[in-house]
Amino acid sequence: MGTRNARILRMLVLCIAACLLFSAGFLLRGNSELMERLGIVAAKDPSSVSQGASPEVSAVASRLDEVEKMLSSGSLDSYDADATTRAVLDSFLKNTDDAYARYFDDARYTSFVDVATDEYPGVGVFFSEQNGKAFALDVFENSSASDAGVRQGDVVVAIDGDRSQDWTATETINAVQREAGSSVVITWLRPSTSDGSEGEEFTTTLICSDYQEPNVTTQLVDGVGYISLKQLTQNSDALVRSALDDLSSRGAHSYVLDLRDNPGGYLTKAVDVASLFIRSGVVVEIDTLEAKTTKQVTGDIATEAPLVVLVNGNTAGSAEVLAAALRDTDRAVLTGTTTMGKGSVQVTKPLSFGGALRYTAARYKSPDGYFIDNVGVSPDITVTVREGASDDNQKTFAIETAGSLA
């Protein structure tokens, strides 16, 4: 038993060292989904990784080797190699200061890469992610989740009793993607309140059903065209352009673009939507270890009418890029509250010993040159939600401001 365990642990040390070497490189190459979102051409050799270990990695590997030799020569206890791998890598990743770094074992990785569609039998929740944890960004009216009392901001703790690690948004969406009429048990953590009350866990049994909400909704108020954009999907620019044409034909002379609770999506579509309002210039700079690239507007402008952009703490990712570009180019007045600060991109790559590693591989920089990640985009005019108000005071202020600019 001792010899067998020693072999397993030696293999584990080698696997962990390989993972450390892999993650130390933090390379972009070989991730087609990221390349599609960023619009960057993938490198020709996706399998290449750094061959040289950093002093820090060498020190960790040496210490693991010392512990392995001591255990193999004297310890009477046995261990599980998979559980040990997970524990060591989880601990390692927590020390990278990357809130989105995550090791997925084989089962988790299978769940993570399952394809989730935009329309699926779900539980009536639009999920987003912050600091590696899924939360309810929007709860649809008359849905199973709404009836169960789920609120915006509730964090996913467990699904069907599994709380072995933090649930990402992708895993959560895939886990609730079931046949209509089936049930799923979700345990939530309600965030602490402004009065200092601690958040509490609660468990719901939700029934999957078909829920659909339009990605773009519009309204004409006293000559102001209001456009709400829920997320940046592959047809967002076409939908926004259609909304602008319709509102203009009905007499709109200024606009409000509502990006509140928009979790982002395709960066290329953020550029395309920005191009509807900005005539020329840089929309975003993308910084990786290997290069700094910029994305320019397309020149296919749709309107030069006055614009107000509405954001909040749930505006994230490429939606923050869009908001920052419109503000930094003096194309729009930004109102609302500071955005989430999720100005980064994660990639997920399979590991040679099973499972996969997710890590942050790129960060966004605004046209004015500041990083969005962990900071957010601050509004020109801060407008907080008025507690207890029956109306949407942020929306009302944005429409009034847009009207005054015409």
Side-chain angles (χ1 to χ4, degrees):
M1 176 65 74
T3 302
R4 178 177 177 274
N5 282 347
R7 289 198 191 102
I8 294 175
L9 191 50
R10 286 191 181 94
M11 292 176 63
L12 174 61
V13 170
L14 292 174
C15 289
I16 293 173
C19 179
L20 296 174
L21 289 170
F22 179 88
S23 59
F26 277 12
L27 301 177
L28 263 173
R29 294 187 295 269
N31 192 292
S32 58
E33 180 181 358
L34 174 66
M35 299 309 171
E36 180 183 356
R37 285 175 175 262
L38 295 184
I40 301 174
V41 177
K44 293 182 179 179
D45 183 11
S47 63
S48 61
V49 296
S50 175
Q51 298 299 314
S54 69
E56 292 83 359
V57 170
S58 297
V60 172
S62 175
R63 292 165 187 169
L64 285 171
D65 184 60
E66 180 180 344
V67 172
E68 181 272 327
K69 288 178 180 177
M70 189 174 295
L71 290 176
S72 64
S73 63
S75 175
L76 298 175
D77 293 326
S78 61
Y79 52 85
D80 181 87
D82 290 337
T84 304
T85 300
R86 185 165 53 251
V88 171
L89 293 182
D90 286 347
S91 179
F92 169 67
L93 294 175
K94 286 179 181 178
N95 284 280
T96 65
D97 293 328
D98 182 354
Y100 295 90
R102 180 75 54 78
Y103 164 65
F104 298 101
D105 61 20
D106 284 331
R108 285 285 188 182
Y109 183 46
T110 299
S111 172
F112 186 86
V113 298
D114 281 346
V115 177
T117 59
D118 290 335
E119 298 179 1
Y120 62 93
V123 293
V125 176
F126 186 26
F127 292 100
S128 187
E129 185 176 328
Q130 186 171 25
N131 295 327
K133 298 179 181 180
F135 70 97
L137 180 64
D138 190 19
V139 182
F140 302 165
E141 293 183 8
N142 302 317
S143 67
S144 177
S146 175
D147 293 341
V150 179
R151 301 177 189 170
Q152 184 185 59
D154 288 342
V155 178
V156 176
V157 175
I159 298 180
D160 291 334
D162 182 359
R163 58 170 72 221
S164 59
Q165 67 181 62
D166 293 338
W167 283 83
T168 66
T170 300
E171 288 178 292
T172 301
I173 293 170
N174 291 338
V176 303
Q177 194 173 22
R178 305 178 182 185
E179 292 184 3
S182 60
S183 63
V184 55
V185 178
I186 303 180
T187 300
W188 310 82
L189 175 64
R190 177 141 299 160
S192 56
T193 59
S194 56
D195 62 7
S197 300
E198 291 290 332
E200 295 183 355
E201 286 191 10
F202 65 101
T203 300
T204 59
T205 300
L206 307 179
I207 305 302
C208 297
S209 183
D210 288 321
Y211 300 100
Q212 296 183 15
E213 278 198 342
N215 193 29
V216 169
T217 56
T218 65
Q219 187 179 1
L220 184 64
V221 183
D222 297 329
V224 175
Y226 169 83
I227 302 172
S228 173
L229 177 61
K230 293 290 186 183
Q231 57 181 321
L232 287 158
T233 59
Q234 293 194 18
N235 65 343
S236 292
D237 56 324
L239 292 174
V240 174
R241 177 180 287 277
S242 177
L244 288 169
D245 291 343
D246 174 65
L247 291 167
S248 176
S249 69
R250 294 162 54 194
H253 47 70
S254 60
Y255 296 95
V256 170
L257 179 62
D258 191 346
L259 299 178
R260 290 178 299 174
D261 302 331
N262 186 319
Y266 288 97
L267 179 66
T268 52
K269 292 305 171 181
V271 174
D272 290 342
V273 173
S275 300
L276 299 176
F277 302 97
I278 303 172
R279 185 167 293 280
S280 63
V282 172
V283 174
V284 63
E285 177 182 294
I286 307 161
D287 286 13
T288 71
L289 280 181
E290 296 182 322
K292 295 182 180 181
T293 59
T294 59
K295 295 296 177 184
Q296 307 272 341
V297 297
T298 63
D300 191 17
I301 194 168
T303 180
E304 293 184 292
L307 177 67
V308 172
V309 175
L310 188 52
V311 295
N312 67 3
N314 288 328
T315 305
S318 56
E320 294 179 273
V321 168
L322 173 57
L326 292 170
R327 189 193 71 172
D328 289 2
T329 57
D330 295 322
R331 181 60 186 87
V333 175
L334 219 62
T335 67
T337 56
T338 301
T339 63
M340 182 183 291
K342 172 59 175 68
S344 61
V345 180
Q346 285 68 47
V347 298
T348 304
K349 289 189 174 183
L351 296 164
S352 62
F353 53 89
L357 179 70
R358 184 181 76 162
Y359 55 89
T360 298
R363 288 190 169 89
Y364 299 141
K365 187 179 285 187
S366 79
D368 276 355
Y370 58 86
F371 282 109
I372 296 171
D373 203 39
N374 296 319
V375 177
V377 182
S378 300
D380 298 304
I381 305 172
T382 299
V383 182
T384 58
V385 175
R386 189 168 55 242
E387 293 186 13
S390 58
D391 64 330
D392 186 346
N393 64 291
Q394 290 181 319
K395 177 181 175 180
T396 299
F397 180 87
I399 291 174
E400 291 175 349
T401 302
S404 69
L405 297 174

